[in-house]
Amino acid sequence: MRVVESRPGGVEVVWIKGHSNIHGNELADQAAKVAAQSGSVPWMVDLTQQTDITTFAHCYGGIVEIDLRQLLKQQSTIRHHQAWTSQRRVKRAIPDIDDVEWNSTLAYVHDRHAVFTFYSNSKDSHQRTHHIKKLHGMLPTLNSMQARKPNLYPTCVCRRCELEKEDNDHVWKCPSAAETTTEIWKEAMGKINEWGVQATNSYNAARKREYKRAVDRGRQVPRPVPIHWWPPSDADHVRGFSSIGGARAVHSGSPAPDRDEKPMWNVSDLLRGITPLSMLTEWSAVFRTPMSIAKTVLHKFVGYLEAQASELIWKPRCSATIAWEQSQGISAKDKTSKYTGPRGDWSQGYGYITHDGFCPCGASLATHDEGRCPGATKDPRAADERLLESLLGRRRLSMMERMGRIPFIRI
């Protein structure tokens, strides 16, 4: 400020509607890019030496050098993320949050509508609710209905296979849905080459547009080499999804051993709309294409599985359950009426049944220390520690921590 006051001449502030095709702005843009690419030492400002600043904001003993509003917003976002990941149903439904490609996964959750828009209607709200419940393992399966109203549901046996108790895990692994799952998988695999060609063409077109813009601005850049889509063989595909439990069995139509004895992800997770990063990494190597092309193909692949599973597995399950309810004299009014009697056991975890040898969080008791479930902590200080480490440059926040686009619901 003192430099501005002491220099001769005047200062005129004018409003410029846009930056494109303005000669001065084009020159400033080129100078900024040259400076950014140079090896010069960045200009550092020591706030403690500024005599005109009398008060400083501190965060855990360090001076806050960013916008305080941004800091508080980031702190609130990370704390919400911490509370969300601490929920038992989240730990059970999403075993590895850091191995999820959230851009694609949230696109299914929000039905490909931007979360910051005001677009909404009854159909969109219904689909969004279904996707969120499916992601969190909170679909109204018979085990949760029995816990809510044991007077109406004396049993929670699956009404399709009539062999096992129905929870949010059984719905997608039910023996009666095995053939449907195989058909959906094969249909999706048959569309991969089509999706790959479309993604490759879009990728080449985008690079061509970037090259043209650079040339129009007078920059000398190498001409992009077109990328070609090479259809993977069946063996290539098997390698690409070898980390997904049960994928090879579904693909071949017969039981086959998985690469991992206890894989982190299963085909049922893909049917719920989860896109694993580990699968993206493996499939990208199989396709021999840039990561963005593989991400687009995998996004369409999982999206197709998720949409078809809702239509061909979940809806028939609902029809069979409704038919059984009608045979038992359970009406829609009975299901929505207030119930004041004793409820069933909710300690199993919302929507899931805890089997022998496992913890309600979904992990094996053998992995717990003296039978205690460590899990994540709800202590906000743990979230603040991650924020502080990110401010100090010691760690990078995840996309969910940075953006706060959390499919969070309360019950």
Side-chain angles (χ1 to χ4, degrees), residues 325-341:
E325 290 172 341
Q326 292 175 348
S327 67
Q328 300 296 312
I330 303 175
S331 64
K333 183 178 180 180
D334 294 332
K335 292 189 290 184
T336 57
S337 61
K338 186 177 181 180
Y339 173 70
T340 57

Side-chain angles (χ1 to χ4, degrees), residues 98-337:
D98 294 331
D99 191 45
V100 177
E101 208 295 293
W102 283 109
N103 283 321
S104 295
T105 303
L106 292 183
Y108 314 133
V109 171
H110 298 287
D111 202 26
R112 296 164 182 80
H113 296 308
V115 295
F116 50 81
T117 64
F118 293 100
Y119 173 85
S120 181
N121 55 40
S122 59
K123 180 181 178 181
D124 177 69
S125 177
H126 177 78
Q127 291 180 341
R128 193 188 304 266
T129 301
H130 171 73
H131 292 150
I132 291 177
K133 288 184 176 181
K134 182 163 59 175
L135 177 65
H136 287 81
M138 296 177 63
L139 292 172
T141 49
L142 286 175
N143 75 309
S144 61
M145 297 300 293
Q146 185 184 42
R148 288 177 180 175
K149 297 187 176 182
N151 61 320
L152 297 180
Y153 297 89
T155 178
C156 62
V157 174
C158 174
R159 306 324 307 175
R160 296 194 69 187
C161 68
E162 297 186 350
L163 297 173
E164 303 175 9
K165 294 181 179 180
E166 183 190 72
D167 63 357
N168 272 256
D169 190 47
H170 173 80
V171 166
W172 313 108
K173 297 179 179 179
C174 179
S176 63
E179 185 176 349
T180 303
T181 301
T182 301
E183 293 177 357
I184 295 174
W185 183 277
K186 290 184 177 180
E187 290 175 1
M189 293 297 296
K191 295 178 177 292
I192 284 183
N193 286 334
E194 177 186 349
W195 294 330
V197 171
Q198 293 175 354
T200 303
N201 292 338
S202 299
Y203 177 83
N204 289 331
R207 295 184 66 197
K208 188 175 180 180
R209 288 193 298 269
E210 293 176 0
Y211 171 77
K212 186 177 183 303
R213 283 196 298 265
V215 172
D216 292 341
R217 293 180 179 180
R219 296 172 53 191
Q220 294 184 354
V221 294
R223 183 182 295 273
V225 179
I227 301 296
H228 298 283
W229 171 261
W230 302 102
S233 64
D234 189 71
D236 292 334
H237 283 307
V238 171
R239 290 197 307 271
F241 52 69
S242 58
S243 62
I244 307 299
R248 282 187 286 182
V250 173
H251 184 74
S252 62
S254 60
D258 293 307
R259 186 184 64 181
D260 301 324
E261 294 183 1
K262 295 181 180 180
M264 183 65 67
W265 304 106
N266 293 279
V267 173
S268 59
D269 298 311
L270 304 184
L271 298 179
R272 293 192 295 120
I274 296 178
T275 305
L277 278 173
S278 53
M279 183 178 180
L280 172 61
T281 302
E282 293 187 354
W283 228 345
S284 178
V286 167
F287 292 160
R288 293 171 292 177
T289 62
M291 182 66 75
S292 61
I293 296 179
K295 184 181 295 186
T296 300
V297 176
L298 183 57
H299 172 75
K300 291 182 177 294
F301 178 78
V302 177
Y304 185 87
L305 295 180
E306 187 268 341
Q308 293 298 308
S310 293
E311 291 292 328
L312 303 179
I313 296 179
W314 174 249
K315 288 186 177 180
R317 171 266 167 202
C318 292
S319 298
T321 302
I322 292 174
W324 174 80
E325 290 172 341
Q326 292 175 348
S327 67
Q328 300 296 312
I330 303 175
S331 64
K333 183 178 180 180
D334 294 332
K335 292 189 290 184
T336 57
S337 61

Side-chain angles (χ1 to χ4, degrees), residues 75-103 105-106 109-110 131-138 265 272 274 375-380 382-383 386 398-411:
Q75 182 186 51
S76 177
T77 299
I78 297 178
R79 285 186 175 184
H80 277 296
H81 180 75
Q82 173 79 9
W84 176 63
T85 57
S86 300
Q87 297 177 92
R88 185 172 60 186
R89 62 170 177 261
V90 175
K91 292 186 289 183
R92 181 70 181 263
I94 312 175
D96 190 351
I97 290 179
D98 294 331
D99 191 45
V100 177
E101 208 295 293
W102 283 109
N103 283 321
T105 303
L106 292 183
V109 171
H110 298 287
H131 292 150
I132 291 177
K133 288 184 176 181
K134 182 163 59 175
L135 177 65
H136 287 81
M138 296 177 63
W265 304 106
R272 293 192 295 120
I274 296 178
T377 174
K378 293 183 179 180
D379 188 351
R386 293 202 298 274
S398 66
M399 190 276 285
M400 296 290 279
E401 291 174 318
R402 293 194 313 270
M403 306 301 294
R405 296 177 181 176
I406 303 175
F408 185 84
I409 54 178
R410 299 180 183 274
I411 57 172

Side-chain angles (χ1 to χ4, degrees), residues 59 62-63 65-66 71 384-397:
C59 178
I63 297 178
E65 300 187 21
I66 64 174
L71 175 67
D384 292 343
E385 288 177 1
R386 293 202 298 274
L387 173 63
L388 180 61
E389 290 179 356
S390 68
L391 294 176
L392 297 176
R394 296 175 182 173
R395 73 184 300 272
R396 295 185 62 184
L397 298 176

